[in-house]
Amino acid sequence: MRVHRVLTFALVLHSSLVLSGCTPDAMTAVTSVATVIVRPDTLDIDIEASAALNALGYNMFGVPILGSPMSWSSADAAIASVTQSGVVLGAQAGVTTITASVGGKQGTSTIRVRRPPVATVVVTPASATVVPGQTVQLTDTVRSQSGKLLTGRTVTWSSASPGVATVSATGLVTAVTPGVAVVTATCEGKTGSATITVSATPVASVTVTPSSAAIVVGGNAQLTATAKDASGNVLSGRTATWSTSNASVATVTAAGLVTAVAVGAATVTAVVEGVSGTSSITVSAAPVAPVASVTVTPASSQIVVGQTVQLSATLKDANGNVLTNRVIGWSSANTAAATVSNTGLVTAAAVGSATITATSEGKSGTATVTVNAASSTNDPELPRVTLDTRYVAPTGQTIAVPAGGNLQAAINAALPCDVITLAAGATYVGPFTLPNKSGACWITIRSAAPDASLPAEGVRIRPSYASALPKLVSPNSEPAIQTAAGAHHYRLLALEITVASSATLNYGIVTLGDGGDFQTTLSQVPSNLILDRVYIHGHATLNVSRCVALNSASTAVIDSYLSECHALGFDSQAICGWNGPGPYKIANNYLEGAGEIVMFGGADPGIANLTPSDIEIRHNHFFRPTSWKGVWTVKNLFELKHAQRLLVEGNIFENHWADAQDGFAFVVKSVNQNGSAPWSVMRDLTFRYNRLRNAGGGINIAAAPESYTVVPASRIKIAHNIFENINVGVFTGHGRLYQILEGPADVTIDHNTTFNSDASGATMVFDAATPQAANFVFRNNVTTKGQYGIFGSNVGEGKAALDVYAAPGYVFRRNVIVAADASIYPVDNFFPASLAQVGFVNLAGSNYRLASGSAYKLQATDGSDPGADIDAVEAATQGVIVP
């Protein structure tokens, strides 16, 4: 039994030896490397970064052989090298293979060496202050997350305000105009910046020209202030503050215009940024030049009973020089027909004719005033004067002002008939003043660009022409262009006029005349001024009172483009006038304004008995961008508070909503704004062949809705107009097409086509605490009813409203009123149940002509179709919208 156990153990031991490979050959296999494995088999590292690899050898059975000495090598040490301990070091971007070797066997790892990503970009210096024309070199420092300096990276440079400072591709900054610009360096999505402050070059000296002037009492002298730096270079765009040492002898305006008041001496000082210059003014008594002639204008007038007309007298000496500060006496040869005040205001008393005489120092001039009976047809009087704005080629010398030249000096030196040419694309920093010069020949200030690069006469300018236009810039709240008292015969042609991007407030980009502080007599009013093909605009962040202030006489704005005329918290207009007598022509313009696009009145005139008169507003595109909603203060598209004899024809009015007021596109009323002008009146308005679309409401007419004494509004005719898309979408309001308040007299609404898409609106609303609307006419209109139709406050709809608010003698005939109740309206009108039953040619396509099969064809009181004359409207508005 013992022998058996021994034999068994021997067999087991032998078997174990075989299975374990513990024969001489098996032992070699156990210790021989069959494969080498490197971990990780791929590795991404940054340049100059390191990482460790691990490698093990394995026998044929997959058992690791510990302690095997490895040999390491790199296929491309220029990309990545490796130590004999397996540590890899990145050298340059690329891909290589690291090999571990032992016992004749090899394993590999693929190494991808990448550039480290940019973590920070630092710009040096971080801030700098320079003056216009100077440069400063910025440098960039690019580092990785570990703080390593990275070289060879592409850096791009940009300026947030290139108008203030530009930057080159190498970081060289050039200062342009005063302001602050942030310059940014960008590398692989990371940025760094520097703040560049461009300050004005310090003023070293101020020279006032002329340095002395001798003028007579009542005379003027235009002074100019020239600021220079320490090197004697002229500094443009600097604002001078003017003062006088003796205002009882000589006064001076903010524009440097000196007026002699009394005999004596005064020193006028101009201060620019703390540096001053002076001019010595000597005032002597005016030579007593006798009056040789008296001319009364207008030479003839036709008015109706109750109307007034303001006459003016011009006195001249034997040499044709205008004389001021003389006593003028006024008289009427027929006081039964017309009386005249001591200021030349004629009041019609009865039908007839009167010769009005102005007399001074024994010399007289006359004018004829014809007084007619009030029109039984309610028709307003059309403008008595229309302006001829045809271009007349200058016959004088040409004064070329290059970029950087002194434009004000050129204006001061120009003589009547001269032309001043400005370099296309050049910037001239104002303000610039148009002085009063003798002679009736035009001085033209225009672009030097050839005519072929500009729109032809009669063609509207557009922003796309800006490269051909010289740019006249206001640097602050002052005008870019203003007029001296009595300035006349200037034509501004093909110019861009704007405000510096750094300014946030401006009180008027172009001011023609004065609002009343310095303009208190007709002799001070500038006249014969034409803005022809000019591009006048604010900018996206500017609060501007108005783009053009129209307080002048015989003035036209034609073929021009006025935009970005907006403000928040106060009124703003594209064009507004209140202290000029007219006549005015506003024709073929693109006009943007927030408060009102065009307005007359709104402030009391500084000239007694003045009313802006004889106004032609034709073929303009009134437009307000919808992006302004909720951003700028909005009131109306067109407002009249104090004006007479207006023709508003062939315009397109677009985009209006309720904001600071209730959404009426048009407001017409007599307003004595501040209580100092009781003669204020709105009368004789002819509003025809216009198109209104996209508005919260139509037109609001009020006789005298405010507390101060006025002449109630009267003689207003609204004819052949189209109102469409009223109170729809963003164009919010109450949806009233017409509103009549306080009983205005002689209002005619005839042949209009109007659509109110708001079920809560009305065709017309009456309200009044005072007289009824005398001689009210509403006929031949095609209109929707809305919810309330013709509605009277506290009365109701239809005939009841008319009987209370328009009786006696109103006319209400041949109107097509969609969806109204015939039983509550006057007879001789039409009441289709829906727009479809009117019988338009193509309602969906906005063709509002009546089709031949319409039941209302030729049913107007004059034998034509009710509604607007669509052919006439389309002809009058053809080309108003310029793509």
Side-chain angles (χ1 to χ4, degrees):
M1 290 296 291
R2 180 180 298 169
V3 172
H4 175 75
R5 287 197 294 273
V6 170
L7 289 175
T8 302
F9 174 76
L11 290 171
V12 170
L13 177 62
H14 179 264
S15 173
S16 174
L17 289 173
V18 172
L19 292 175
S20 301
C22 289
T23 65
D25 290 339
M27 291 299 293
T28 299
V30 168
T31 61
S32 298
V33 175
T35 60
V36 176
I37 297 176
V38 180
R39 299 295 185 199
D41 57 357
T42 60
L43 177 65
D44 292 338
I45 62 173
D46 295 335
I47 294 173
E48 298 186 4
S50 61
L53 299 178
N54 294 308
L56 281 176
Y58 294 83
N59 64 18
M60 63 183 293
F61 298 108
V63 178
I65 302 174
L66 301 178
S68 302
M70 291 290 171
S71 174
W72 295 86
S73 62
S74 171
D76 190 342
I79 294 174
S81 61
V82 63
T83 69
Q84 289 308 304
S85 61
V87 176
V88 178
L89 178 65
Q92 69 178 28
V95 179
T96 188
T97 300
I98 300 296
T99 301
S101 303
V102 62
K105 302 298 181 179
Q106 297 176 335
T108 63
S109 177
T110 300
I111 307 301
R112 292 191 293 264
V113 181
R114 65 194 178 191
R115 298 195 308 173
V118 173
T120 61
V121 178
V122 177
V123 176
T124 307
S127 63
T129 300
V130 288
V131 298
Q134 282 189 335
T135 61
V136 59
Q137 180 64 59
L138 302 182
T139 59
D140 60 89
T141 302
V142 181
R143 295 185 184 276
S144 67
Q145 185 64 43
S146 65
K148 176 177 175 53
L149 180 66
L150 304 178
T151 61
R153 304 301 174 94
T154 299
V155 177
T156 58
W157 293 88
S158 62
S159 170
S161 303
V164 174
T166 61
V167 63
S168 72
T170 61
L172 181 66
V173 175
T174 301
V176 180
T177 58
V180 176
V182 176
V183 175
T184 301
T186 302
C187 182
E188 298 176 13
K190 302 297 182 180
T191 61
S193 63
T195 301
I196 305 300
T197 302
V198 181
S199 61
T201 304
V203 175
S205 66
V206 174
T207 302
V208 178
T209 305
S211 59
S212 63
I215 51 180
V216 299
V217 174
N220 300 104
Q222 179 65 57
L223 304 184
T224 58
T226 303
K228 294 183 180 180
D229 62 16
S231 301
N233 300 310
V234 174
L235 302 175
S236 61
R238 304 303 172 91
T239 300
T241 301
W242 295 89
S243 62
T244 176
S245 64
N246 191 346
S248 64
V249 171
T251 61
V252 63
T253 70
L257 180 69
V258 176
T259 299
V261 178
V263 174
T267 299
V268 174
T269 301
V271 178
V272 182
E273 299 172 15
V275 181
S276 62
T278 62
S279 178
S280 300
I281 305 298
T282 302
V283 180
S284 58
V288 181
V291 174
S293 66
V294 177
T295 303
V296 179
T297 55
S300 63
S301 303
Q302 293 202 27
I303 54 179
V304 300
V305 174
Q307 278 190 333
T308 61
V309 61
Q310 179 66 56
L311 304 183
S312 62
T314 302
L315 314 181
K316 293 183 179 180
D317 63 18
N319 295 319
N321 298 310
V322 175
L323 304 176
T324 58
N325 299 320
R326 305 298 173 94
V327 176
I328 302 172
W330 293 89
S331 63
S332 169
N334 184 2
T335 55
T339 60
V340 61
S341 72
N342 58 8
T343 62
L345 181 68
V346 177
T347 301
V351 174
S353 179
T355 298
I356 307 298
T357 302
T359 304
S360 182
E361 299 176 12
K363 302 295 182 180
S364 298
T366 62
T368 301
V369 175
T370 302
V371 180
N372 300 311
S375 172
S376 60
T377 62
N378 304 339
D379 281 347
E381 183 181 359
L382 291 170
R384 297 171 184 170
V385 180
T386 56
L387 297 177
D388 184 354
T389 55
R390 289 174 294 182
Y391 180 66
V392 177
T395 57
Q397 66 174 336
T398 297
I399 303 173
V401 183
N406 191 331
L407 173 55
Q408 186 63 63
I411 295 172
N412 293 344
L415 298 175
C417 300
D418 287 350
V419 58
I420 299 170
T421 60
L422 308 181
T427 296
Y428 301 83
V429 180
F432 301 106
T433 301
L434 306 180
N436 185 359
K437 299 174 184 284
S438 61
C441 191
W442 294 86
I443 294 174
T444 302
I445 304 173
R446 61 159 295 166
S447 172
D451 288 344
S453 64
L454 300 170
E457 183 175 10
V459 177
R460 188 184 303 161
I461 198 81
R462 299 187 300 281
S464 58
Y465 285 96
S467 62
L469 306 180
K471 182 181 290 187
L472 279 57
V473 179
S474 165
N476 46 38
S477 62
E478 295 187 62
I481 295 176
Q482 58 192 349
T483 52
H488 58 92
H489 286 92
Y490 286 93
R491 187 183 198 110
L492 277 56
L493 170 61
L495 305 173
E496 180 179 0
I497 308 172
T498 187
V499 179
S501 59
S502 58
T504 59
L505 176 66
N506 183 274
Y507 295 114
I509 301 174
V510 177
T511 59
L512 306 180
D514 176 78
D517 291 338
F518 301 102
Q519 186 171 293
T520 56
T521 65
L522 287 172
S523 63
Q524 296 172 308
V525 177
S527 64
N528 293 283
L529 306 170
I530 300 177
L531 301 179
D532 180 5
R533 286 165 281 174
V534 292
Y535 173 30
I536 304 173
H537 62 95
H539 58 72
T541 58
L542 181 69
N543 286 274
V544 59
S545 296
R546 57 200 56 88
C547 282
V548 175
L550 213 57
N551 294 312
S552 51
S554 297
T555 300
V557 183
I558 57 173
D559 305 331
S560 295
Y561 194 103
L562 280 60
S563 61
E564 297 277 14
C565 310
H566 47 49
L568 178 63
F570 58 91
D571 278 15
S572 57
Q573 303 90 24
I575 298 174
C576 184
W578 63 94
N579 195 34
Y584 299 116
K585 180 179 182 178
I586 302 172
N588 194 37
N589 304 290
Y590 173 85
L591 304 170
E592 285 182 359
E596 302 86 11
I597 295 181
V598 171
M599 180 178 181
F600 284 95
D604 290 348
I607 300 173
N609 298 311
L610 179 142
T611 297
S613 305
D614 304 310
I615 302 168
E616 177 188 6
I617 302 175
R618 294 182 56 255
H619 208 255
N620 301 284
H621 187 192
F622 288 67
F623 186 83
R624 181 175 293 134
T626 55
S627 60
W628 290 9
K629 187 169 185 179
V631 177
W632 304 110
T633 298
V634 167
K635 286 190 173 180
N636 315 111
L637 292 177
F638 180 50
E639 184 166 9
L640 299 172
K641 292 184 175 182
H642 185 193
Q644 63 183 355
R645 298 192 298 277
L646 301 97
L647 173 62
V648 182
E649 180 178 83
N651 304 279
I652 292 180
F653 299 87
E654 289 191 284
N655 298 2
H656 178 61
W657 50 85
D659 183 49
Q661 290 185 359
D662 55 8
F664 276 114
F666 313 121
V667 173
V668 179
K669 56 186 177 179
S670 289
V671 177
N672 175 6
Q673 192 73 34
N674 302 312
S676 62
W679 65 88
S680 297
V681 65
M682 214 332 290
R683 64 183 167 213
D684 293 314
L685 167 65
T686 301
F687 189 93
R688 66 190 185 194
Y689 306 120
N690 301 287
R691 193 159 199 154
L692 166 67
R693 55 193 177 212
N694 306 336
I699 184 166
N700 181 21
I701 303 171
E706 300 184 17
S707 58
Y708 293 124
T709 301
V710 293
V711 180
S714 64
R715 292 195 298 275
I716 297 163
K717 186 170 186 177
I718 314 298
H720 294 287
N721 302 283
I722 299 172
F723 295 176
E724 55 192 331
N725 208 36
I726 302 300
N727 201 14
V728 174
V730 301
F731 309 109
T732 53
H734 45 48
R736 299 172 187 173
L737 296 171
Y738 308 96
Q739 182 164 281
I740 308 295
L741 304 179
E742 308 296 330
D746 300 314
V747 174
T748 297
I749 301 173
D750 189 16
H751 274 294
N752 298 281
T753 298
T754 54
F755 300 96
N756 176 355
S757 299
D758 182 11
S760 66
T763 305
M764 178 178 296
V765 171
F766 286 98
D767 196 1
T770 53
Q772 296 166 317
N775 302 321
F776 176 74
V777 176
F778 190 88
R779 66 185 172 214
N780 304 321
N781 300 286
V782 174
T783 182
T784 50
K785 167 184 173 291
Q787 182 175 355
Y788 297 104
I790 307 294
F791 189 84
S793 179
N794 298 317
V795 173
E797 183 183 353
K799 191 173 183 298
L802 292 163
D803 288 346
V804 169
Y805 287 101
Y810 67 83
V811 175
F812 193 90
R813 297 184 59 212
R814 296 284 165 151
N815 300 290
V816 179
I817 307 176
V818 177
D821 181 355
S823 67
I824 62 173
Y825 279 84
V827 297
D828 201 22
N829 291 281
F830 309 102
F831 303 94
S834 67
L835 281 170
Q837 292 183 12
V838 176
F840 295 111
V841 170
N842 185 354
L843 177 63
S846 300
N847 185 344
Y848 305 131
R849 297 170 178 83
L850 296 186
S852 58
S854 169
Y856 313 110
K857 188 75 174 171
L858 305 180
Q859 294 301 306
T861 58
D862 57 7
S864 66
D865 292 348
D869 183 336
I870 306 300
D871 290 339
V873 173
E874 291 185 352
T877 58
Q878 179 67 36
V880 165
I881 297 179
V882 178

